[in-house]
Amino acid sequence: MSELSETGTEQPPEEAKVQSAARLFDVRNVIGGLFTAYGIIMTLVGVFDGKSAVAKAEGIRINLWLGLVMLAFGLLVLLWRTLAPPKLPDD
Amino acid sequence: MQGSAGVLAASGLRLNLDAIDYVILILYFATVLGIGLMVRRAVRTSSDFFLSGRALPAWVTGLAFVSANLGAIEILGMAANGAQYGLMTLHYYWIGAVPAMAFLGIVMMPFYYGSGVRSVPEYLRRRFNDAAHLLNALSFALAQVLIAGINLYALALVMRAMLGWPLWLSIVIAAAVVLIYITLGGLSSAIYNEVLQFFVIVAGLVPLTVIGLKRVGGASGLADKVRQSALHDAGLHTWANTANSHNPLGANWIGIVFGLGFVLSFGYWTTNFAEVQRALSARNMSAARRTPLIAAYPKLLIPAVTVIPGLIALVTVKGLGAKSGDLVYNNAIPLLMRDLLPNGVLGLAVTGLAASFMAGMAANVSGFNTVFTYDIWQPYIRKDRPDGYYLKVGRIVTVIGVCIGIGTAFIAAGFNNIMNYLQALFSLFNAPLFAVFIVALFWKRMTAWAGFWGLLSGMVGSALLYLLYLAKVVTFGSDLDESFWGAGLGFVLVLVVGAVITMFTTPKPESELDGLVYGVGRTHVSGETLVGDRGWYRNPVVLGGTAVVLALVLYIPFW
């Protein structure tokens, strides 16, 4: 579960002091991490899919396509997290 | 047993999962429990546990709002209705959800969020009296454990299909996962998981629609095959023949527009605390108001992965619609998964269904523990304890709620179409409550006891109609038609009883209604808006109005 341990340690130290759950924890790390992991797994499954798997899905290489879409989505969410890190609410 | 997969089409519903499917499923469960553990460290106060410390951004609460509704009952049940009633099921999304979500964000949220109440029953306590408060708190708690039971049962169906586990074992194991992550992290844990679940559910279900449509020859092929099915051409229309009841739903336009579109829908979306709680955890008024409005957009499109697969199942799975066994309508989606998905995406779809169960169940449980602690235990049983005490009560109540949910799962197991059972519950609990709210918000003279007696008579009236229908004393076009009329009856009873009682009792002084009634005192709409939240595209009226217009436009091709 590498993406899980990352999220706990990535937070800047000043934010760790703030008590509220939302400020300690950014769900984008988890979404991005899980989808990146799923994307890689599904893409690999898709690359090695046999004829019967493709035939069952009406000729669509569904694992490959879905894997690539999930990988792209996961990386986009992680990119969003990097470009717009969580900021402290001004209260 | 139809099966292009030939050898794969084993007996009944059993899916042939292999190692990769289990990797995907286990990775998801580990992530869910990991979220619980991570959030656990941040929960210090009861407000953190029950309301996420009121600190979440709008996109998080918005997706959690739609996900809390996207339980397995919603997915399995709406696909079942798609197969049974055809495109008329779309009414549950477009007229039966989006307008109410817009109303909640535009009109009602300022009163909920602005008055600082922690729950829907707490609003009734301030607007009316302890009696109305306690009645609503108790009935809400009861409804939540009943609905949690439906969610558990729905998941158990999927687990039995997937692994061949007995029903009771699936129910207990599934309940344990939700129990652990809610007890650890409270509402934050529920909400973060809901956001994650939303994406996993979509990723798991979209392939089903894509492959299914390819198999039946695209949209036009599907339409041709539906015309030749038991639904005939009527299965492809939403409003045709609603002047009378000669349509698959057996309901006329009055029942659809007022029963479903107004009373049931507004009752569910605007007063159901399991939903409203997501918005109350937003970080400011603007985010709270945008919560249901952001949720409205995904809601518009969800039928593509529920109703459409239901229709595909109708035309590809021979014998679908049996009274019992594996071919009941509720199994439309699992049957399609068996027929269409190869390993890999199959594991993802199973994960999506498991996730959707947990989304629904977690919403019920987190609503239940909040209302029980804040609205029953704290005011009436153990007052004035330190905050840590109530945090502990919340955790214990979570355990109790899940245990009761396991019991009620076996009640749900007795219904052929779980969605209809759910709608019956809504007509009973939510419709009268919505009527009370509408009058309470806009008529400052309505008295405290009018609120209590109105709510009680509405619930009793709707329950009586349901019992008479079950006893076959009165008849309706379908189960769903009954729920429309039950909701309508509950609504009207509240208006009549509330008005009569108001004439004989004294209203509360205006000073006590500050921020609780339209036009009385401040409503805090502008006060808390942050500078960055003032863009026109974040305006609640623009967001909500656009969603409603889109809902109407989407109807056009399916008239």
Side-chain angles (χ1 to χ4, degrees):
Chain A
M1 242 42 25
S2 62
E3 77 277 8
L4 291 185
S5 45
E6 273 169 30
T7 49
T9 52
E10 253 177 34
Q11 309 291 341
E14 72 270 19
E15 277 177 37
K17 290 181 199 147
V18 186
Q19 288 196 356
S20 172
R23 294 168 218 182
L24 257 181
F25 176 83
D26 191 336
V27 72
R28 288 176 296 180
N29 290 320
V30 181
I31 298 171
L34 184 70
F35 271 72
T36 304
Y38 274 168
I40 293 168
I41 295 173
M42 299 284 290
T43 305
L44 287 176
V45 172
V47 168
F48 296 107
D49 260 345
K51 273 187 188 139
S52 69
V54 178
K56 189 176 186 188
E58 300 291 319
I60 304 173
R61 294 194 76 96
I62 192 72
N63 283 326
L64 184 61
W65 286 111
L66 191 65
L68 291 173
V69 170
M70 289 178 87
L71 183 60
F73 177 77
L75 292 174
L76 269 179
V77 173
L78 289 178
L79 184 68
W80 176 28
R81 160 73 177 77
T82 315
L83 294 180
K87 55 176 189 279
L88 292 173
D90 36 27
D91 55 0
Chain B
M1 297 307 116
Q2 159 141 0
S4 65
V7 288
L8 285 179
S11 67
L13 252 176
R14 187 69 179 269
L15 307 175
N16 288 279
L17 297 197
D18 70 10
I20 195 68
D21 298 313
Y22 283 104
V23 168
I24 290 167
L25 189 67
I26 290 166
L27 188 57
Y28 182 76
F29 276 80
T31 308
V32 163
L33 294 177
I35 291 178
L37 284 171
M38 283 185 283
V39 175
R40 168 75 181 84
R41 297 181 312 181
V43 174
R44 307 275 162 84
T45 66
S46 72
S47 169
D48 286 342
F49 188 79
F50 294 119
L51 290 172
S52 297
R54 289 201 158 189
L56 300 177
W59 73 270
V60 168
T61 54
L63 287 177
F65 188 94
V66 73
S67 209
N69 167 256
L70 200 60
I73 14 170
E74 172 77 11
I75 291 172
L76 298 183
M78 284 304 171
N81 284 350
Q84 193 170 356
Y85 306 113
L87 289 184
M88 288 189 87
T89 310
L90 293 172
H91 290 314
Y92 283 93
Y93 294 89
W94 296 342
I95 194 170
V98 171
M101 293 160 100
F103 185 81
L104 174 63
I106 294 170
V107 179
M108 289 182 72
M109 198 49 71
F111 297 99
Y112 278 133
Y113 197 90
S115 64
V117 296
R118 298 170 300 184
S119 70
V120 168
E122 190 172 339
Y123 174 88
L124 291 182
R125 187 181 198 194
R126 305 228 332 237
R127 174 63 182 83
F128 297 122
N129 56 16
D130 284 354
H133 172 243
L134 191 59
L135 175 66
N136 178 230
L138 289 172
S139 64
F140 174 80
L142 176 67
Q144 290 313 296
V145 291
L146 286 176
I147 297 169
I150 305 180
N151 273 305
L152 265 179
Y153 170 65
L155 182 84
L157 286 178
V158 179
M159 301 287 265
R160 185 174 65 176
M162 180 180 76
L163 302 168
W165 289 358
L167 216 52
W168 67 268
L169 184 66
S170 315
I171 287 177
V172 171
I173 288 183
V177 174
V178 171
L179 179 65
I180 292 169
Y181 80 77
I182 304 269
T183 315
L184 285 172
L187 184 66
S188 302
S189 203
I191 285 181
Y192 288 136
N193 273 307
E194 280 161 3
V195 176
L196 182 65
Q197 279 152 358
F198 174 78
F199 293 110
V200 174
I201 293 165
V202 171
L205 291 181
V206 165
L208 206 56
T209 303
V210 172
I211 301 172
L213 277 178
K214 180 143 191 226
R215 170 180 261 207
V216 297
S220 61
L222 180 62
D224 287 341
K225 291 193 167 74
V226 170
R227 279 191 200 97
Q228 294 156 24
S229 74
L231 278 175
H232 305 293
D233 190 51
L236 299 172
H237 294 279
T238 51
W239 290 103
N241 291 317
T242 51
N244 48 53
S245 297
H246 298 298
N247 55 64
L249 213 50
N252 62 28
W253 67 272
I254 302 175
I256 294 169
V257 173
F258 292 100
L260 172 65
F262 184 59
V263 182
L264 267 181
S265 152
F266 278 64
Y268 175 82
W269 291 100
T270 65
T271 65
N272 181 357
F273 181 57
E275 290 293 340
V276 174
Q277 189 177 25
R278 271 78 199 141
L280 290 185
S281 64
R283 65 181 167 202
N284 56 40
M285 172 69 87
S286 163
R289 295 184 77 188
R290 276 182 283 133
T291 295
L293 305 175
I294 289 171
Y297 290 86
K299 188 72 183 167
L300 283 169
L301 299 175
I302 287 172
V305 294
T306 55
V307 180
I308 301 300
L311 282 177
I312 294 169
L314 174 75
V315 300
T316 61
V317 180
K318 283 201 180 69
L320 186 71
K323 285 266 178 258
S324 61
D326 286 332
L327 292 173
V328 293
Y329 285 121
N330 283 332
N331 286 343
I333 290 223
L335 286 164
L336 277 192
M337 284 161 53
R338 177 199 68 185
D339 290 345
L340 300 177
L341 299 183
N343 293 111
V345 66
L346 181 63
L348 194 68
V350 170
T351 305
L353 278 189
S356 80
F357 141 77
M358 293 198 293
M361 168 103 184
N364 301 136
V365 171
S366 55
F368 173 79
N369 66 18
T370 307
V371 164
F372 191 89
T373 306
Y374 278 162
D375 293 297
I376 298 174
W377 198 261
Q378 190 175 29
Y380 299 111
I381 300 175
R382 291 279 183 276
K383 279 181 207 173
D384 304 323
R385 296 293 175 94
D387 188 71
Y389 170 81
Y390 295 110
L391 178 58
K392 203 159 92 189
V393 169
R395 291 205 159 106
I396 296 169
V397 168
T398 306
V399 178
I400 297 171
V402 170
C403 291
I404 303 174
I406 292 175
T408 56
F410 291 96
I411 301 178
F415 286 80
N416 174 243
N417 181 325
I418 40 181
M419 196 67 209
N420 293 357
Y421 169 52
L422 190 68
Q423 292 296 334
L425 287 181
F426 288 155
S427 72
L428 219 158
F429 289 112
N430 290 357
L433 182 59
F434 169 61
V436 169
F437 260 88
I438 266 304
V439 183
L441 274 178
F442 294 100
W443 193 33
K444 64 185 181 195
R445 280 202 51 209
M446 188 188 199
T447 64
W449 285 107
F452 171 76
W453 289 110
L455 183 58
L456 185 64
S457 57
M459 292 195 326
V460 170
S462 183
L464 277 178
L465 188 69
Y466 184 57
L467 291 176
L468 288 175
Y469 171 69
L470 288 184
K472 298 193 169 40
V473 178
V474 286
T475 53
F476 291 97
S478 64
D479 293 356
L480 294 177
D481 195 32
E482 188 284 327
S483 68
F484 300 165
W485 286 99
L489 177 71
F491 188 85
V492 171
L493 276 173
V494 170
L495 301 188
V496 172
V497 172
V500 170
I501 305 266
T502 293
M503 280 186 251
F504 297 102
T505 41
T506 354
K508 279 190 152 186
E510 281 204 19
S511 58
E512 291 180 24
L513 301 177
D514 193 18
L516 299 171
V517 179
Y518 194 80
V520 178
R522 68 232 140 87
T523 45
H524 312 266
V525 179
S526 54
E528 290 184 42
T529 312
L530 299 175
V531 180
D533 285 341
R534 288 201 188 122
W536 64 269
Y537 59 91
R538 285 179 168 159
N539 181 319
V541 178
V542 174
L543 273 173
T546 309
V548 172
V549 170
L550 279 176
L552 293 175
V553 171
L554 281 172
Y555 266 127
I556 293 171
F558 309 109
W559 182 259

